[in-house]
Amino acid sequence: MMDAEIKLTDKLERKLPPQLMDFLKSAGKKAAERNEKAYIVGGVVRDLLLGLANYDIDLTVEGDAVALAHELLGNIAGTITVHKQFNTAKIELEGWNIDFATARSETYARPGALPEITPASLVEDLKRRDFTINAMAIGLSGKNYGTLYDPCNGKTDLQEGKIRILHDGSFIDDSTRIWRGLRYEQRLGFQIEAHTLELLKRDIPMLDSVSGERISYEIDCIFKEQHPERVFARAYRLGVLNKLNALIKFDKPMEEWFARAREMSYPNAPSAVLYWLLLTYNLDIDNRERFISYLKLPKRISQAFRDCSAVKDRLELLSASGISNSEIYRLLTGYSPQAITANIIAGDVEESRAALNLYMEKLRGMKTIISGSDIMQMGVEQGPQLKKMLDAVLDARLNGEVISREDEIAIVKKMLKE
Ligand code: CTP
C-alpha cells in the first residue's frame, strides 16, 4: 500500500498533549486486545503534518467503534454520547472531543442524499473521503503504532499546497464538498488543483440537490474561519455563492465589513449571527425571509435578521439633527445588539452612525436608580401609569436631566400632581 513506511511516532507524541496521547495509546491497545485496529484519521492527521494544533480527534476503528469507546470509558472519567444509527460514539475528556467511527464505505442513492454505509477496511474508508489531504490516517494499534496511511497521496498534496478530490464523481456524491474545498483552500493558503477546479465548476448546479440545513452548516463552518471573507470572495468569483443567493454580491466593501466585524468584536471572534447579517445586509426584507426559509435558519438568527431590517428602516430617523438620547433609545431598544452592530458596519446613512454607536456604547446599559416598587410605595398601582412614569424617569436619565435618586423621585411626584 505504501512505497516506504512513514512513522510519525515522534510528531504524534510531541504535538499532542501527553494526557490525550495516553488516551489514544490505550485506545490502540484496547483495540488490539479485541483483535481490532484503531487509527487517527482526517483533519487531525493533516494538521499534525502541517505542524498545526488540532485536538478534535477522529478515530476510525476496523471493528466495533461503539463497543471500543464503551470499554475505554470504563477506566477514565469522561462522558460518552452514542449515535446508534451511525455506529459512532463521542467521548469528551478534559475538554477534548474524541469521535469513534467504524471504518466504512459509502454509497449515495442519489446526489445530495446522505450516504448508505457498509463496514469496510481503513483504506476503503479513506477512499470515500473528500480531499486527499483529509484522507490520511495514523495507526495506533500494535506494530502499526505511528504508521502513516496515505493511499491517495495526501502528503504530497499537503507539501505542494493542493486541494484535490479523490474521484471525478466526488462533488456529485456530496456537493457540500464544494464549500469545504473553498474553505480549506482559503484557510491553508492552498490552491484547488486544476482538474478538481474544473469538476467543481461543472458540479456547481448540484448544490441545488442539497438540503438547506446542510448548506447552512457549511456556511457556519466558514464563519468559524479566521478570514471567512476570503472564502466568500472566492465563492462569488466562481459562481458558487450565486447558488446560495443570486442577489449577494460579495465585493470589496463586503470583505471590509467582515474585517470591521472582527475589529469591533476583538478580543472575541465575531458571532456567527453578525456575519450572517453582514452577508445578507443588502437583501430586502422579502429576500431575507426567503433566505431564512431556504436555509431553515434557527429562531435566534432569523429574529436577528428581522431586527436588522427594522433598524435599517430607522437609520434616517436616527440621523435627524438634534435627536435626543431618549429618542435614540426608544428607536433602538429591544433590537438585538448584533443587528445594531451590523448597521454600524454596513449602514449607508453616514449621519446615523453616531447615534448607533452612542446607543451601543452608553445608552443601552443605562438604568434608572429608582424601580417600579419605589413608585408603587408612592401610591401608584401596577399598570400603564407606572410604566409611563418609569419611562419618563429613564428618558430624563438618558438625556442627562437627573443625577440623584431624589431627582428621579421629583419627576414622579411632579407627574402625580398633573
Ligand atoms: N469528510 C468527508 N466529506 C465530508 C465531510 C467530512 O470526506 N463532506 C471527512 C474528511 O476526511 C474530514 C473528516 O471527514 O477530514 C472529518 O470531517 P470534519 O470534522 O468536518 O473535518 P476536519 O478536517 O476534521 O475539520 P476541519 O474542517 O474543522 O478542519
Side-chain angles (χ1 to χ4, degrees):
M1 187 193 89
M2 281 159 294
D3 298 338
E5 187 170 279
I6 298 176
K7 280 281 183 190
L8 295 176
T9 320
D10 270 9
K11 248 197 179 89
L12 204 57
E13 295 180 357
R14 262 187 291 121
K15 277 283 167 200
L16 296 183
Q19 241 186 316
L20 179 57
M21 224 26 250
D22 286 348
F23 177 82
L24 294 175
K25 277 184 191 165
S26 68
K29 234 168 147 180
K30 187 66 86 191
E33 282 165 27
R34 295 167 48 86
N35 276 327
E36 297 176 344
K37 286 186 187 131
Y39 306 86
I40 307 176
V41 290
V44 71
V45 179
R46 174 199 70 219
D47 288 345
L48 210 61
L49 286 166
L50 287 170
L52 303 173
N54 180 347
Y55 306 140
D56 267 333
I57 309 287
D58 285 315
L59 294 187
T60 288
V61 182
E62 283 176 322
D64 187 341
V66 175
L68 176 65
H70 272 301
E71 265 196 46
L72 279 163
L73 201 70
N75 308 332
I76 49 155
T79 56
I80 186 166
T81 321
V82 174
H83 288 287
K84 268 229 152 53
Q85 73 271 38
F86 301 119
N87 222 354
T88 60
K90 179 194 280 298
I91 289 187
E92 282 171 61
L93 174 75
E94 313 261 347
W96 299 308
N97 288 327
I98 302 123
D99 283 304
F100 291 73
T102 295
R104 63 180 195 255
S105 63
E106 294 178 344
T107 45
Y108 293 82
R110 60 176 171 80
L114 288 173
E116 280 150 28
I117 289 164
T118 16
S121 66
L122 171 75
V123 170
E124 286 170 294
D125 184 289
L126 294 176
K127 287 187 172 171
R128 71 167 169 90
R129 290 174 184 260
D130 51 3
F131 303 106
T132 59
I133 60 165
N134 286 345
M136 292 181 276
I138 301 173
L140 288 174
S141 301
K143 65 176 179 3
N144 297 336
Y145 179 74
T147 304
L148 177 69
Y149 292 81
D150 182 14
C152 311
N153 283 324
K155 192 160 180 279
T156 308
D157 282 338
L158 212 49
Q159 280 156 353
E160 292 177 3
K162 297 260 162 67
I163 307 290
R164 186 192 308 271
I165 46 170
L166 307 188
H167 61 91
D168 284 8
S170 183
F171 292 128
I172 299 176
D173 284 347
D174 176 1
S175 54
T176 65
R177 289 173 176 167
I178 292 178
W179 280 109
R180 291 174 65 85
L182 301 181
R183 178 157 62 87
Y184 291 121
E185 181 191 52
Q186 298 306 311
R187 179 203 296 175
L188 300 170
F190 281 18
Q191 279 279 308
I192 296 175
E193 103 16 86
H195 183 59
T196 299
L197 190 61
E198 249 172 61
L199 295 169
L200 184 151
K201 288 187 198 156
R202 180 197 73 185
D203 293 335
I204 288 173
M206 302 308 296
L207 280 164
D208 287 337
S209 64
V210 182
S211 71
E213 285 102 325
R214 290 191 65 208
I215 297 289
S216 78
Y217 172 80
E218 292 303 327
I219 304 299
D220 267 325
C221 288
I222 296 169
F223 290 148
K224 290 187 190 124
E225 296 290 323
Q226 261 186 320
H227 296 281
E229 66 275 21
R230 293 182 187 166
V231 184
F232 291 116
R234 175 81 154 133
Y236 179 53
R237 290 194 297 271
L238 286 170
V240 174
L241 191 63
N242 192 52
K243 282 281 157 209
L244 183 69
N245 190 297
L247 299 170
I248 300 175
K249 306 209 177 333
F250 206 89
D251 48 13
K252 269 271 167 259
M254 242 176 154
E255 285 185 47
E256 281 157 21
W257 293 350
F258 274 52
R260 183 88 186 95
R262 276 194 298 282
E263 274 167 37
M264 288 183 69
S265 310
Y266 186 82
N268 300 313
S271 71
V273 175
L274 181 56
Y275 277 145
W276 276 113
L277 296 177
L278 294 175
L279 186 65
T280 56
Y281 191 82
N282 286 333
L283 301 184
D284 63 25
I285 296 181
D286 289 348
N287 280 303
R288 271 192 161 179
E289 289 297 331
R290 238 169 269 146
F291 193 76
I292 290 168
S293 55
Y294 159 53
L295 293 181
K296 308 214 168 43
L297 293 174
K299 183 100 202 333
R300 164 183 74 82
I301 301 178
S302 56
Q303 188 54 50
F305 272 43
R306 289 171 192 133
D307 286 0
C308 186
S309 298
V311 173
K312 198 173 171 183
D313 287 343
R314 292 167 177 227
L315 295 182
E316 290 295 344
L317 290 172
L318 286 160
S319 65
S321 70
I323 187 170
S324 69
N325 288 358
S326 59
E327 284 167 320
I328 296 172
Y329 184 91
R330 299 291 162 204
L331 283 168
L332 294 176
T333 187
Y335 294 123
S336 91
Q338 279 96 350
I340 296 168
T341 306
N343 277 283
I344 293 175
I345 295 171
D348 61 359
V349 186
E350 185 53 44
E351 302 75 21
S352 67
R353 208 154 273 138
L356 293 167
N357 277 318
L358 180 68
Y359 177 80
M360 285 301 286
E361 284 159 18
K362 187 170 162 202
L363 305 183
R364 82 183 169 120
M366 284 179 75
K367 299 237 168 356
T368 55
I369 298 175
I370 61 169
S371 65
S373 59
D374 292 319
I375 300 179
M376 282 164 80
Q377 277 173 18
M378 293 164 76
V380 181
E381 294 199 351
Q382 222 162 12
Q385 196 199 7
L386 182 95
K387 162 116 188 25
K388 208 168 140 198
M389 287 172 161
L390 273 174
D391 283 350
V393 175
L394 180 59
D395 283 355
R397 178 149 298 281
L398 290 163
N399 292 334
E401 294 156 6
V402 290
I403 296 169
S404 65
R405 180 183 163 83
E406 287 65 37
D407 295 342
E408 291 190 356
I409 289 173
I411 292 179
V412 178
K413 282 190 176 152
K414 186 160 168 264
M415 286 177 87
L416 278 169
K417 278 193 209 138
E418 280 165 6

